[in-house]
Amino acid sequence: MPRKKSNSGTGSEFRKGGEIRASPQSLDFCICVLLLLAILAVYGQVRSHDFVNYDDPRYVTQNPQVRGGLTWHGLVWAFTSAHDSNWIPLTWLSHMLDCQLFGLESGAHHFTNVALHMLSALLLFGLLRRMTGARWRSAFVALAFALHPLHVESVAWVAERKDVLSAAFFFLTLWAYVDYTARPSRGRYLLVALIFCCGLMAKPMVVTLPFIALLLDFWPLRRKAAAGLILEKLSLFALVAGASVLTYLVQEHAGAVSSIDQVPLVARLQNALVSYVAYLGNFVWPARLAVFYPYSIPPVWEWMTAGFALAAVTVLVLRVRGRYPYAAVGWLWYLGTLVPVIGLVQAGSQSRADRYTYIPMVGISIVLAWGAAEAVGRWRWGRRALAAAMVAVCSAWAVVAWFNVEHWRNSISLFRHAIDVTTDNYVAYNNLAVALRQAGEFDEAVSSFESVVRIRPQDAQARDNLGEALMAVGRVDEAIPHLEEAIRLQPGFAKARIDLASALIRSGRAAQAEAQYRAALQLRPASVEAHYGLGGVLAQQGRLQEALPHLREALPQLVEAVGSNPGDPDLRYNLGTLLGIMGRADEAIVQFAEAVRLQPGNPEAHFNLGTALAARNRLEEARDEFAAAVRLRPDYVNAHINLGRILAALGHADEAAREFSEAERLKPASLR
């Protein structure tokens, strides 16, 4: 006979006598195992993924506090630091623990995210199952959370540890809250507040939790006396107020909160309306997802249509809240939990981000699961048809998610994909260029930096990056105008002055280079790069007494920097250069050799290693390094000249003559 309709919209699962032989506990256990296996099938590949160059360096790979593991100093830093514009001490401690246990093995860091995602999926299933008694609907919501492609960014990105960690505390807090509502006591309430505090210290986005608790009071907990329920949560709202003020002050102090002049309030409101609808569209059809969506002002018709649609749905679910309480709760869950990150207070330069949907989409999944069950409840074959549809949907999500996780295997694949699916994505072009340069693909890196300048011609940082890249491929004369433009756009840009000085040295304009280094030191008196650059240019002019103080100032700082980040080839290269200028050739060889090992596609590193080896009369090794520099950059005039000199010293006159001829062809009079 047909299932009797439940007034609450929860009810027990549909059964016929004798059809289900397994015990409820066995079925729940099987669902939990299915959740874990499904997550492993989609995310297991992250064990072979690298860190990416977007936020991961600030959070882990180039963060000396985190890399040092769990220490007393690190513990103090975690609770007192506003690093990266956030106060997230528990997230920092989790990264430190990973470094303590696994060092910088990227796969292990990734898998910690996966493990936390597993925990949250299990907690979500258990929480809904416990509150509603609806096994299969709860299972669908948990599977949607576990497998939806929108959640790949939160799980597959090491820097988003704060997402998966805060979500685990979010669901743990709700679990403790349900315990408290069943058997109220001061101790259980304090436990709720304690776990909630942990969530806030992982990521402040969980500030909406007291609001979600109120929604659950309405359905499925069916608690009465609304005024009393609000008073009951005053302590939680006080924690929310404190966390919100602290977060805003930290981000404002760090410059992460955009000013009104940069993003007007009206534009932020328009973008928020469109983003609410865009996230829903991505939930239904999760295609063309990217790590970064450039900010743009939506056309009038778009934000007005979005606003009307959101208002209409909100009015509808509120009007039917008595008959379909799950619809109101799920929809308000979605709207409410997105408020902190919908862009009303603009933090960062993105228009929206997939990671922001990690908790909010639970609300939409609840509406879908309970609504679909309600819709087919009176149809004879409805239950089977619905089960087949849910399996098909979850399977499709899993396949799409698997491919999206694959894009996160390294920086190059991640940002190439972002460029493919978005328009004028300057962040993707910039980070792709950085990754390509790191991999020795200098020409392609230049092309990507040129795209950034095309999109943002008034961006001083973009001009500086392009200038650096052009220098790396020997196009110094083209680099100088971009570096000069960077300084014109931002006169206080010390790094651009240092880069311009380096370009001027290579173009034979030592006096102008000296002026730029001195200007950089006025802006940043402790700059290692400016001190050793100025020391180098003074030493080349024979002004050793003036050069030595700058070289001595730079040396200990560079040694310390290399010690805290031994895997950075640029630091190794800079330290080698400084040691070479100071005449400490043997130490320079060690640093240049490590720079070459870390970045074998860098012709400058090979050239300088060859120079240091030649200074110690290790001619055959020097020959090999100069040959590598020429092979990587055939127009490298000085490398051809030095290779010719080494070949002549080794008695290979014909080969030496060919190198000298090539240098003369590339740059007439270069041998004079």
Side-chain angles (χ1 to χ4, degrees), residues 362-377:
V362 171
I364 300 302
S365 300
I366 288 172
V367 175
L368 182 59
W370 266 261
E374 189 87 24
V376 303

Side-chain angles (χ1 to χ4, degrees), residues 11-33:
S12 60
E13 295 298 320
F14 179 89
R15 288 188 177 93
K16 288 184 179 180
E19 278 191 13
I20 301 177
R21 294 183 175 85
S23 67
Q25 294 80 6
S26 297
L27 281 174
D28 291 345
F29 176 77
C30 290
I31 290 170
C32 290
V33 171

